[in-house]
Amino acid sequence: MKLTTYIKGLGYYVPERIIDNNELSTMVDTSDEWIRTRTGIEQRHVVAPGQNCSDLVMESAKKALAASGIKPEEITHIINATVSGDDAFPSTATRVQAKLGITGMALDLSAACSGFIYGLQVARGLMALEPEAKILVTAAEVLSNRVNWKDRSTCVLFGDGSGAAVLSASPTPPATGHPLMANAVIEDVMCNADGKTGHLLYCNGGCSDFPYKLGDIVGPENFIQMNGREIFKYAVRTMAGISQQLMEKLGYTINDFDMVVPHQANTRIIQAVGDRLGAPAEKVFVNVNRYGNTSAASIPLAMGEAVETGVIKPGMRVLFTTFGAGLTWGAAVVKF
Ligand code: UT7
């Protein structure tokens, strides 16, 4: 018998400091008009000095735990999706574990913007092996430290933030009354990657393919590199494609969904994915205007905000789809 995995509680967080497009246009040769029309982004949140990835995770994790009614000490596994963790090693997940004061399996997962949906799939696999598991799946990025703030083709796009979900196979609904409480069934998840396309979006500074030597000067090559036009095309094609595959596998059409939540990278990409799937604009969730592209955090940030604000209500079936560096992509169907 197939085990059902539930999302019991959600959390999301963005740091306080906001950089809007007008402020950005004082830092680099760009304009509010260009950024809005090409991306739909109006502002992004960035960390305060000293605030790191595990700090962002903790803010979301605390909310998700409170919403789920599951205590930190009941958590058996932490899966943290990030490409901008606290250190090269140990993992940010272990830092989070220490801050929560617990033990158990803890790992970071690197799938860039697809990290949270990859994390859900890994968690479902672990749950099948250990049905009593209580799994904290988190995603957080501090991409403000990974972009070259002099490169207008990338620095306008990204923002910092985090999201979290507590997963369990128990069908009993939490009774916490928390606005981020859920008893949502993960109906299915599909993930894919094509490593041959990795050169289209990457950041390799400091790793074994691009090691630092003592005394090296940090240059533009140490930050995010992207072929924006190609990424745009792949993003639309892969998110729409994997969503169709997952719908076909489950015997659904777009009419079976109350909401579609694509990765929040760019409103033109989001709109194109919605159009390809035949979803009316009012069913396609957008918050990229306020947060920019928060990479792995984008899907749980959207999920949490949509649940908290009542945009996603109990009884709704929602299609989530994502895309990121790797290139990686994925989709998940969740019944709230
Ligand atoms: O999670 C996945 C992460 N990545 C993405 O989602 C990125 C996907 N790609 C995109 O969203 C779009 O390709 C961008 C928003 C990055 C760029 O939009 P575009 O319509 O593809 O513009 P472009 O790269 O073709 O550039 C058009 C012009 C260029 O000037 P010239 O060569 O035509 O004179 C750029 O230099 O716009 C210029 N430009 C800018 N101008 C003002 C590029 N960035 C900026 C900027 N402000 N920030």
Side-chain angles (χ1 to χ4, degrees):
M1 200 182 72
K2 207 172 164 196
L3 193 80
T4 303
T5 303
Y6 295 83
I7 298 174
K8 314 299 279 188
L10 291 160
Y12 70 97
Y13 172 79
V14 287
E16 274 174 39
R17 164 105 161 92
I18 291 173
I19 299 182
D20 67 16
N21 293 346
N22 287 325
E23 183 178 351
L24 204 50
S25 59
T26 66
M27 298 157 64
V28 67
D29 182 16
T30 190
S31 66
D32 177 50
E33 204 264 335
W34 192 96
I35 302 170
R36 272 178 203 261
T37 51
R38 302 288 176 128
T39 73
I41 298 167
E42 295 161 20
Q43 60 176 45
R44 68 286 297 141
H45 292 245
V46 297
V47 289
Q51 197 175 21
N52 61 25
C53 185
S54 63
D55 294 333
L56 301 193
V57 173
M58 282 302 290
E59 296 295 333
S60 290
K62 281 187 281 187
K63 285 191 205 171
L65 286 161
S68 72
I70 292 170
K71 297 186 189 71
E73 55 273 25
E74 294 177 76
I75 294 294
T76 52
H77 305 72
I78 301 174
I79 301 169
N80 179 53
T82 190
V83 291
S84 50
D86 290 13
D87 307 288
F89 66 85
S91 69
T92 300
T94 57
R95 288 252 211 155
V96 170
Q97 200 186 41
K99 288 180 183 182
L100 286 172
I102 60 172
T103 56
M105 185 171 155
L107 71 137
D108 279 2
L109 190 157
S110 174
C113 307
S114 306
F116 185 76
I117 285 183
Y118 266 59
L120 292 183
Q121 185 71 317
V122 172
R124 291 170 83 228
L126 288 167
M127 201 72 86
L129 292 168
E130 298 175 49
E132 299 304 317
K134 305 274 180 284
I135 306 181
L136 177 62
V137 181
T138 63
E141 301 288 8
V142 188
L143 287 184
S144 59
N145 290 338
R146 292 257 165 198
V147 291
N148 170 3
W149 287 96
K150 299 278 174 228
D151 175 10
R152 67 178 183 175
S153 69
T154 54
C155 76
V156 303
L157 303 175
F158 298 101
D160 301 336
S162 67
V166 176
L167 271 50
S168 151
S170 162
T172 314
T176 59
H178 194 288
L180 287 156
M181 184 183 91
N183 201 42
V185 172
I186 304 174
E187 291 190 1
D188 210 347
V189 177
M190 215 179 242
C191 295
N192 206 346
D194 179 3
K196 293 187 293 301
T197 51
H199 61 284
L200 295 173
L201 176 55
Y202 64 92
C203 182
N204 57 9
C207 298
S208 61
D209 194 36
F210 196 89
Y212 297 143
K213 291 186 295 304
L214 205 58
D216 276 356
I217 292 167
V218 176
E221 63 281 8
N222 294 99
F223 298 94
I224 292 177
Q225 312 289 323
M226 182 180 71
N227 179 333
R229 283 190 187 177
E230 282 303 306
I231 288 292
F232 191 109
K233 287 187 265 183
Y234 270 98
V236 175
R237 206 182 305 144
T238 56
M239 282 197 279
I242 201 160
S243 298
Q244 292 287 9
Q245 280 172 33
L246 188 54
M247 285 197 284
E248 274 166 35
K249 182 183 170 201
L250 295 172
Y252 291 144
T253 70
I254 195 67
N255 298 328
D256 294 303
F257 291 89
D258 300 287
M259 182 77 52
V260 177
V261 183
H263 168 47
Q264 302 290 308
N266 178 322
T267 46
R268 291 190 294 143
I269 295 175
I270 293 168
Q271 199 178 344
V273 170
D275 288 349
R276 282 199 184 199
L277 294 174
E282 63 274 15
K283 279 193 181 179
V284 180
F285 186 82
V286 179
N287 68 7
V288 67
N289 53 318
R290 286 175 287 120
Y291 301 126
N293 179 350
T294 57
S295 186
S298 138
I299 291 288
L301 189 55
M303 195 187 290
E305 189 173 79
V307 166
E308 191 178 48
T309 57
V311 172
I312 294 179
K313 297 181 185 62
M316 285 186 164
R317 179 175 291 115
V318 183
L319 172 67
F320 296 90
T321 183
T322 191
F323 166 86
L327 298 176
T328 56
W329 58 96
V333 172
V334 182
K335 181 85 193 299
F336 284 85

